[in-house]
Amino acid sequence: MTTFNLVFEGGGAKGLVLIGALQTLIGQGHTPGRLLGTSAGAITATLLAAGYTADEIFDFAIEKVEDENGDQKARFATFLDEPAFNDDDIKESFIFKLFTSIDIPLVPTEAEVKDNALFGLLKSINVNLTEEELTFKILQTLLGKDRFRHLFSFVEKGGLYAGQAFTDWLTEKLTAKGFGTATLAEMYAQTGRDLTVIASNTTREEMMALNHRTAPDCPVVWAVRMSMSIPFLWQEVRWQEDWGLYHGLDIKGSTIVDGGVLSNFPIRLLTSNDTDVVALMDERTDSDMTLGLLIDETLPVENCGEQETGSLLERLPPIIRIHRLVDTMAHARDNSAIKHYEKAVCHLPAQGYSTTEFDMPDHRIEALITAGQVAMQKFLLTLANPPEIDPN
């Protein structure tokens, strides 16, 4: 049997297909070596590094919780969680500053209070508000409405959803293995698993390979949270001072989003000895065997049925356009590497599934995971001998 270094592509909810592929791979006696992933692939790689089996990860995929009506829903659906804002968030927001910079007719600034008729009316009923105070009250009221709250989050925090539910979920799973608060260096020291997750630094305009070499003090949970932060879907993450340096650089305050923006399938990082790769990953050896698990939207999934319509927010034309643009950019960057290492890439079907389909019904989950199992079975049959990887 073979030890494979594994590369997991990102794909949001489509990443469930990775679980089926893993069940087959490990079920046939193969073992994981180094682990590398982006977004959903980063989640899978991290759970493996923490010591979970493929079957245990499958159990997470079908985990249910009760909603507010007492009905059962997928735990993953809770990842599209409500954003929350305190008074300081409102007062320091761009929207607040924009509104207060506009001279709203009949609404006074401090200098207009005496002569403004509307303000006089408000004062007569004991409502003493300046323009800034009235704007704050208006925004407070609007933030009580779901759709405005999400749009406010989109403008101010870079995403429709908070992402806190995901952070809580991953912390729970890692805590069960003793890594709930662990840094990348601490987790490596305890497990010996060489884990790398990919993120994108939009402040410095560069891809980040987060591991115990490049970001030893970064918490594992937050490394994965950054990697899975699909632009404009989840709120952006700011690099914190106590996360230390990245690759020797102080990047405090940098805005970090989904690694898929720059490399959704970073197989080159485990198959090349180029100088830039070695600086992030150390040198590979001739005995290293790399296997890429690629989520392929062109391959059909049998017996999956029809996808249900997403929420209104997810169907906003700007969101759809942005996701298509991000997918195009990521695929363009990775396509040359995929072609170069094609013999080491297992294509996993995901046609008809969307990145944000976190609340898919059980029959669609089962169909996607089964598709991953079958695809890996077929791929392994082609490996009479492990594929030769050209390091150049």
Side-chain angles (χ1 to χ4, degrees):
M1 298 305 171
T2 306
T3 295
F4 287 105
N5 295 331
L6 299 177
V7 183
F8 299 96
E9 189 186 20
K14 293 175 291 188
L16 291 174
V17 74
L18 300 169
I19 300 172
L22 270 181
Q23 286 179 310
T24 296
L25 182 70
I26 295 173
Q28 292 195 15
H30 302 291
T31 56
R34 301 176 76 180
L35 300 165
L36 169 63
T38 299
S39 195
I43 299 169
T44 306
T46 300
L47 292 173
L48 275 178
Y52 283 107
T53 66
D55 289 340
E56 287 172 326
I57 298 172
F58 169 79
D59 290 339
F60 300 156
I62 60 174
E63 188 177 354
K64 303 288 185 182
V65 293
E66 280 192 5
D67 63 17
E68 60 275 9
N69 300 317
D71 298 324
Q72 294 289 306
K73 63 185 282 188
R75 177 81 182 271
F76 283 1
T78 67
F79 294 173
L80 302 179
D81 52 349
E82 290 288 330
F85 303 96
N86 58 36
D87 291 354
D88 287 340
D89 290 330
I90 298 172
K91 292 175 182 177
E92 294 171 5
S93 70
F94 170 80
I95 292 177
F96 180 81
K97 292 172 184 175
L98 177 65
F99 281 13
T100 54
S101 70
I102 299 172
D103 187 13
I104 305 172
L106 303 179
V107 180
T109 59
E110 290 283 5
E112 297 172 327
V113 168
K114 287 185 179 179
D115 300 323
N116 188 278
L118 178 58
F119 193 84
L121 176 62
L122 292 172
K123 190 172 182 179
S124 71
I125 56 175
N126 294 319
V127 179
N128 295 299
L129 298 174
T130 65
E131 183 174 1
E132 288 77 11
E133 291 168 337
L134 183 57
T135 299
F136 177 77
K137 292 291 185 184
I138 291 171
L139 288 178
Q140 260 193 332
T141 301
L142 289 173
L143 284 168
K145 307 295 182 182
D146 290 349
R147 290 179 182 174
F148 184 82
R149 189 161 57 248
H150 286 289
L151 291 174
F152 186 89
S153 178
F154 178 86
V155 173
E156 300 297 335
K157 303 289 187 178
L160 295 168
Y161 302 100
Q164 185 60 48
F166 169 79
T167 305
D168 292 343
W169 173 85
L170 185 58
T171 300
E172 171 192 311
K173 301 310 179 190
L174 292 182
T175 297
K177 294 292 188 179
F179 304 118
T181 61
T183 65
L184 289 164
E186 290 169 343
M187 187 169 174
Y188 175 73
Q190 293 183 55
T191 66
R193 290 285 193 189
D194 193 327
L195 168 70
T196 300
V197 302
I198 304 301
S200 301
N201 187 328
T202 60
T203 301
R204 295 180 56 85
E205 301 177 346
E206 65 179 4
M207 185 190 79
M208 303 176 70
L210 301 168
N211 55 45
H212 66 280
R213 292 173 292 271
T214 62
D217 298 325
C218 179
V220 177
V221 167
W222 280 103
V224 181
R225 170 66 179 84
M226 288 184 278
S227 182
M228 59 74 69
S229 188
I230 298 173
F232 308 113
L233 190 66
W234 282 293
Q235 292 178 358
E236 301 163 337
V237 178
R238 301 280 182 174
W239 189 273
Q240 301 300 303
E241 183 174 11
D242 59 0
W243 296 352
L245 305 179
Y246 170 71
H247 209 211
L249 297 174
D250 182 357
I251 61 168
K252 179 181 64 176
S254 286
T255 300
I256 317 294
V257 299
D258 187 350
V261 171
L262 293 177
S263 185
N264 210 31
F265 188 61
I267 193 169
R268 177 173 172 266
L269 294 184
L270 287 183
T271 52
S272 171
N273 269 332
D274 289 348
T275 302
D276 63 319
V277 172
V278 172
L280 300 172
M281 306 293 293
D282 281 348
E283 291 191 16
R284 61 182 295 276
T285 66
D286 291 338
S287 62
D288 286 348
M289 297 305 308
T290 296
L291 172 58
L293 283 71
L294 179 72
I295 300 171
D296 194 332
E297 293 87 354
T298 68
L299 298 179
V301 176
E302 293 185 5
N303 305 314
C304 65
E306 294 294 324
Q307 179 184 346
E308 296 178 3
T309 303
S311 71
L312 176 63
L313 288 169
E314 294 162 51
R315 289 184 282 119
L316 284 173
I319 301 299
I320 294 172
R321 293 189 189 107
I322 289 164
H323 285 169
R324 286 175 179 166
L325 179 61
V326 169
D327 285 346
T328 299
M329 291 187 298
H331 289 160
R333 179 187 179 104
D334 293 327
N335 276 343
S336 61
I338 292 169
K339 291 176 182 176
H340 192 69
Y341 305 111
E342 184 62 37
K343 290 183 179 179
V345 176
C346 177
H347 290 251
L348 305 175
Q351 189 180 89
Y353 287 80
S354 77
T355 301
T356 58
E357 194 184 349
F358 293 101
D359 199 16
M360 67 179 75
D362 290 345
H363 73 275
R364 281 180 61 79
I365 293 175
E366 181 180 346
L368 188 58
I369 290 177
T370 299
Q373 294 169 344
V374 172
M376 181 58 73
Q377 287 170 356
K378 292 178 179 178
F379 178 80
L380 290 174
L381 289 175
T382 69
L383 299 185
N385 295 299
E388 293 292 331
I389 304 299
D390 180 359
N392 300 312

CSV table of all heavy atoms in Angstrom, one decimal, residues 8-49:
chain,number,residue,atom,x,y,z
A,8,PHE,N,-6.2,18.7,-1.5
A,8,PHE,CA,-7.7,18.8,-1.6
A,8,PHE,C,-8.1,20.1,-2.2
A,8,PHE,O,-7.8,21.2,-1.6
A,8,PHE,CB,-8.2,18.6,-0.2
A,8,PHE,CG,-7.9,17.3,0.5
A,8,PHE,CD1,-6.8,17.2,1.4
A,8,PHE,CD2,-8.7,16.2,0.3
A,8,PHE,CE1,-6.6,16.1,2.0
A,8,PHE,CE2,-8.4,15.0,0.9
A,8,PHE,CZ,-7.3,14.9,1.8
A,9,GLU,N,-8.9,20.0,-3.3
A,9,GLU,CA,-9.4,21.3,-3.8
A,9,GLU,C,-10.5,21.9,-3.0
A,9,GLU,O,-11.2,21.2,-2.3
A,9,GLU,CB,-9.9,21.0,-5.3
A,9,GLU,CG,-10.2,22.3,-6.0
A,9,GLU,CD,-10.9,22.1,-7.3
A,9,GLU,OE1,-11.5,21.1,-7.6
A,9,GLU,OE2,-10.9,23.1,-8.1
A,10,GLY,N,-10.6,23.2,-3.1
A,10,GLY,CA,-11.7,23.9,-2.5
A,10,GLY,C,-13.0,23.8,-3.3
A,10,GLY,O,-12.9,23.6,-4.5
A,11,GLY,N,-14.2,24.0,-2.7
A,11,GLY,CA,-15.4,23.9,-3.4
A,11,GLY,C,-16.6,24.1,-2.6
A,11,GLY,O,-17.7,23.8,-3.0
A,12,GLY,N,-16.5,24.7,-1.4
A,12,GLY,CA,-17.6,24.9,-0.5
A,12,GLY,C,-18.4,23.6,-0.2
A,12,GLY,O,-17.8,22.6,0.1
A,13,ALA,N,-19.7,23.6,-0.4
A,13,ALA,CA,-20.5,22.4,-0.1
A,13,ALA,C,-20.2,21.3,-1.0
A,13,ALA,O,-20.3,20.1,-0.6
A,13,ALA,CB,-22.0,22.8,-0.3
A,14,LYS,N,-19.6,21.5,-2.2
A,14,LYS,CA,-19.2,20.4,-3.1
A,14,LYS,C,-18.1,19.6,-2.5
A,14,LYS,O,-17.8,18.5,-3.0
A,14,LYS,CB,-18.8,21.0,-4.4
A,14,LYS,CG,-19.9,21.7,-5.2
A,14,LYS,CD,-19.4,22.3,-6.5
A,14,LYS,CE,-18.5,23.6,-6.2
A,14,LYS,NZ,-18.2,24.3,-7.4
A,15,GLY,N,-17.4,20.2,-1.5
A,15,GLY,CA,-16.3,19.5,-0.9
A,15,GLY,C,-16.7,18.2,-0.2
A,15,GLY,O,-15.8,17.4,0.2
A,16,LEU,N,-18.0,17.9,0.0
A,16,LEU,CA,-18.5,16.6,0.5
A,16,LEU,C,-18.0,15.4,-0.3
A,16,LEU,O,-17.8,14.3,0.2
A,16,LEU,CB,-20.0,16.6,0.6
A,16,LEU,CG,-20.6,17.5,1.7
A,16,LEU,CD1,-22.1,17.5,1.6
A,16,LEU,CD2,-20.2,17.2,3.1
A,17,VAL,N,-17.8,15.7,-1.6
A,17,VAL,CA,-17.3,14.6,-2.5
A,17,VAL,C,-15.9,14.1,-2.1
A,17,VAL,O,-15.5,13.0,-2.3
A,17,VAL,CB,-17.3,15.1,-4.0
A,17,VAL,CG1,-16.2,16.0,-4.3
A,17,VAL,CG2,-17.3,13.9,-4.9
A,18,LEU,N,-15.1,15.0,-1.4
A,18,LEU,CA,-13.8,14.6,-1.0
A,18,LEU,C,-13.9,13.5,0.1
A,18,LEU,O,-13.0,12.6,0.2
A,18,LEU,CB,-13.1,15.8,-0.4
A,18,LEU,CG,-12.9,17.0,-1.3
A,18,LEU,CD1,-12.4,18.2,-0.4
A,18,LEU,CD2,-11.8,16.7,-2.4
A,19,ILE,N,-15.0,13.5,0.9
A,19,ILE,CA,-15.1,12.5,1.9
A,19,ILE,C,-15.3,11.1,1.4
A,19,ILE,O,-14.6,10.2,1.8
A,19,ILE,CB,-16.3,12.9,2.8
A,19,ILE,CG1,-16.1,14.3,3.5
A,19,ILE,CG2,-16.5,11.8,3.9
A,19,ILE,CD1,-17.3,14.8,4.2
A,20,GLY,N,-16.1,11.0,0.3
A,20,GLY,CA,-16.3,9.7,-0.3
A,20,GLY,C,-15.0,9.2,-0.9
A,20,GLY,O,-14.6,8.0,-0.7
A,21,ALA,N,-14.2,10.1,-1.5
A,21,ALA,CA,-12.9,9.7,-2.1
A,21,ALA,C,-12.0,9.2,-1.0
A,21,ALA,O,-11.3,8.2,-1.2
A,21,ALA,CB,-12.3,10.8,-2.9
A,22,LEU,N,-12.0,9.9,0.1
A,22,LEU,CA,-11.1,9.5,1.2
A,22,LEU,C,-11.5,8.1,1.8
A,22,LEU,O,-10.6,7.3,2.2
A,22,LEU,CB,-11.2,10.5,2.3
A,22,LEU,CG,-10.2,11.7,2.3
A,22,LEU,CD1,-10.4,12.6,3.5
A,22,LEU,CD2,-8.7,11.2,2.3
A,23,GLN,N,-12.8,7.9,1.9
A,23,GLN,CA,-13.3,6.6,2.5
A,23,GLN,C,-12.7,5.5,1.6
A,23,GLN,O,-12.3,4.4,2.2
A,23,GLN,CB,-14.8,6.6,2.5
A,23,GLN,CG,-15.4,7.5,3.6
A,23,GLN,CD,-16.9,7.4,3.6
A,23,GLN,OE1,-17.5,7.6,2.5
A,23,GLN,NE2,-17.5,7.1,4.7
A,24,THR,N,-12.7,5.6,0.3
A,24,THR,CA,-12.2,4.6,-0.6
A,24,THR,C,-10.7,4.5,-0.5
A,24,THR,O,-10.2,3.4,-0.3
A,24,THR,CB,-12.6,4.8,-2.0
A,24,THR,OG1,-14.1,4.8,-2.1
A,24,THR,CG2,-12.0,3.8,-3.0
A,25,LEU,N,-10.0,5.6,-0.5
A,25,LEU,CA,-8.6,5.6,-0.5
A,25,LEU,C,-8.0,4.9,0.8
A,25,LEU,O,-7.2,4.0,0.7
A,25,LEU,CB,-8.1,7.0,-0.6
A,25,LEU,CG,-6.5,7.2,-0.6
A,25,LEU,CD1,-6.0,6.7,-1.9
A,25,LEU,CD2,-6.2,8.7,-0.4
A,26,ILE,N,-8.5,5.4,1.9
A,26,ILE,CA,-8.1,4.8,3.2
A,26,ILE,C,-8.6,3.4,3.4
A,26,ILE,O,-7.9,2.5,4.0
A,26,ILE,CB,-8.4,5.8,4.3
A,26,ILE,CG1,-7.7,7.1,4.2
A,26,ILE,CG2,-8.1,5.2,5.7
A,26,ILE,CD1,-8.1,8.2,5.1
A,27,GLY,N,-9.8,3.2,2.9
A,27,GLY,CA,-10.4,1.8,3.1
A,27,GLY,C,-9.6,0.8,2.3
A,27,GLY,O,-9.7,-0.4,2.7
A,28,GLN,N,-8.9,1.2,1.3
A,28,GLN,CA,-8.1,0.2,0.6
A,28,GLN,C,-6.7,0.1,1.1
A,28,GLN,O,-5.8,-0.5,0.5
A,28,GLN,CB,-8.1,0.6,-0.9
A,28,GLN,CG,-9.4,0.4,-1.6
A,28,GLN,CD,-9.4,0.4,-3.1
A,28,GLN,OE1,-8.3,0.3,-3.7
A,28,GLN,NE2,-10.5,0.5,-3.8
A,29,GLY,N,-6.4,0.7,2.3
A,29,GLY,CA,-5.2,0.5,2.9
A,29,GLY,C,-4.1,1.6,2.7
A,29,GLY,O,-3.0,1.5,3.3
A,30,HIS,N,-4.4,2.6,1.9
A,30,HIS,CA,-3.5,3.7,1.6
A,30,HIS,C,-3.5,4.7,2.8
A,30,HIS,O,-4.6,4.8,3.5
A,30,HIS,CB,-3.8,4.4,0.3
A,30,HIS,CG,-3.8,3.5,-0.9
A,30,HIS,ND1,-2.7,2.9,-1.4
A,30,HIS,CD2,-4.8,3.0,-1.7
A,30,HIS,CE1,-3.0,2.2,-2.4
A,30,HIS,NE2,-4.3,2.2,-2.6
A,31,THR,N,-2.5,5.4,3.0
A,31,THR,CA,-2.4,6.3,4.1
A,31,THR,C,-2.0,7.7,3.7
A,31,THR,O,-1.3,7.9,2.7
A,31,THR,CB,-1.3,5.8,5.2
A,31,THR,OG1,-0.1,5.6,4.5
A,31,THR,CG2,-1.7,4.5,5.8
A,32,PRO,N,-2.5,8.7,4.4
A,32,PRO,CA,-2.2,10.1,4.1
A,32,PRO,C,-0.8,10.5,4.6
A,32,PRO,O,-0.4,10.1,5.7
A,32,PRO,CB,-3.3,10.9,4.7
A,32,PRO,CG,-3.8,10.0,5.8
A,32,PRO,CD,-3.5,8.6,5.4
A,33,GLY,N,0.0,11.2,3.8
A,33,GLY,CA,1.2,11.8,4.3
A,33,GLY,C,1.0,13.3,4.6
A,33,GLY,O,0.3,13.6,5.4
A,34,ARG,N,1.7,14.1,3.8
A,34,ARG,CA,1.5,15.5,3.9
A,34,ARG,C,0.1,15.9,3.4
A,34,ARG,O,-0.4,15.3,2.5
A,34,ARG,CB,2.6,16.3,3.1
A,34,ARG,CG,4.0,16.0,3.6
A,34,ARG,CD,5.1,16.7,2.7
A,34,ARG,NE,5.2,18.1,3.1
A,34,ARG,CZ,6.0,18.9,2.5
A,34,ARG,NH1,6.8,18.5,1.5
A,34,ARG,NH2,6.1,20.1,2.9
A,35,LEU,N,-0.4,17.0,4.0
A,35,LEU,CA,-1.8,17.3,3.8
A,35,LEU,C,-1.9,18.8,3.4
A,35,LEU,O,-1.3,19.7,4.1
A,35,LEU,CB,-2.7,17.1,5.0
A,35,LEU,CG,-2.7,15.6,5.5
A,35,LEU,CD1,-3.3,15.5,6.9
A,35,LEU,CD2,-3.6,14.8,4.5
A,36,LEU,N,-2.5,19.1,2.2
A,36,LEU,CA,-2.6,20.4,1.7
A,36,LEU,C,-4.0,20.7,1.2
A,36,LEU,O,-4.5,19.8,0.4
A,36,LEU,CB,-1.6,20.6,0.6
A,36,LEU,CG,-1.6,21.8,-0.3
A,36,LEU,CD1,-1.4,23.1,0.5
A,36,LEU,CD2,-0.6,21.7,-1.4
A,37,GLY,N,-4.6,21.8,1.5
A,37,GLY,CA,-6.0,22.1,1.0
A,37,GLY,C,-6.3,23.5,1.0
A,37,GLY,O,-5.7,24.3,1.7
A,38,THR,N,-7.3,23.8,0.2
A,38,THR,CA,-7.9,25.2,0.1
A,38,THR,C,-9.4,25.1,0.5
A,38,THR,O,-10.1,24.2,0.0
A,38,THR,CB,-7.7,25.7,-1.3
A,38,THR,OG1,-6.4,25.8,-1.6
A,38,THR,CG2,-8.4,27.1,-1.4
A,39,SER,N,-9.9,26.0,1.3
A,39,SER,CA,-11.3,26.2,1.6
A,39,SER,C,-11.9,24.9,2.1
A,39,SER,O,-11.4,24.4,3.2
A,39,SER,CB,-12.0,26.6,0.3
A,39,SER,OG,-13.3,27.1,0.6
A,40,ALA,N,-12.8,24.3,1.5
A,40,ALA,CA,-13.4,23.0,1.9
A,40,ALA,C,-12.3,21.9,2.0
A,40,ALA,O,-12.3,21.0,2.9
A,40,ALA,CB,-14.5,22.5,1.0
A,41,GLY,N,-11.3,22.0,1.1
A,41,GLY,CA,-10.2,21.1,1.1
A,41,GLY,C,-9.3,21.3,2.4
A,41,GLY,O,-8.8,20.4,2.9
A,42,ALA,N,-9.2,22.6,2.8
A,42,ALA,CA,-8.5,22.9,4.1
A,42,ALA,C,-9.2,22.3,5.3
A,42,ALA,O,-8.5,21.8,6.2
A,42,ALA,CB,-8.4,24.4,4.2
A,43,ILE,N,-10.5,22.3,5.3
A,43,ILE,CA,-11.3,21.7,6.4
A,43,ILE,C,-11.0,20.2,6.4
A,43,ILE,O,-10.7,19.6,7.5
A,43,ILE,CB,-12.8,21.9,6.2
A,43,ILE,CG1,-13.1,23.4,6.2
A,43,ILE,CG2,-13.6,21.2,7.3
A,43,ILE,CD1,-14.5,23.8,5.8
A,44,THR,N,-11.1,19.5,5.3
A,44,THR,CA,-10.9,18.1,5.2
A,44,THR,C,-9.4,17.7,5.7
A,44,THR,O,-9.2,16.8,6.5
A,44,THR,CB,-11.1,17.6,3.8
A,44,THR,OG1,-12.4,18.0,3.4
A,44,THR,CG2,-11.0,16.1,3.7
A,45,ALA,N,-8.5,18.5,5.1
A,45,ALA,CA,-7.0,18.2,5.5
A,45,ALA,C,-6.8,18.4,7.0
A,45,ALA,O,-6.1,17.6,7.6
A,45,ALA,CB,-6.1,19.2,4.7
A,46,THR,N,-7.4,19.4,7.6
A,46,THR,CA,-7.2,19.7,9.0
A,46,THR,C,-7.8,18.6,9.9
A,46,THR,O,-7.2,18.2,10.9
A,46,THR,CB,-7.8,21.1,9.3
A,46,THR,OG1,-7.1,22.1,8.5
A,46,THR,CG2,-7.6,21.4,10.8
A,47,LEU,N,-9.0,18.2,9.5
A,47,LEU,CA,-9.6,17.1,10.3
A,47,LEU,C,-8.8,15.8,10.2
A,47,LEU,O,-8.7,15.1,11.2
A,47,LEU,CB,-11.1,16.9,9.8
A,47,LEU,CG,-12.1,18.0,10.1
A,47,LEU,CD1,-13.4,17.7,9.4
A,47,LEU,CD2,-12.3,18.3,11.6
A,48,LEU,N,-8.3,15.5,9.1
A,48,LEU,CA,-7.4,14.4,9.0
A,48,LEU,C,-6.1,14.6,9.8
A,48,LEU,O,-5.7,13.6,10.5
A,48,LEU,CB,-7.0,14.2,7.5
A,48,LEU,CG,-7.9,13.4,6.6
A,48,LEU,CD1,-7.3,13.3,5.2
A,48,LEU,CD2,-8.1,11.9,7.1
A,49,ALA,N,-5.5,15.8,9.7
A,49,ALA,CA,-4.3,16.0,10.5
A,49,ALA,C,-4.6,15.9,12.0
A,49,ALA,O,-3.7,15.5,12.8
A,49,ALA,CB,-3.8,17.4,10.2
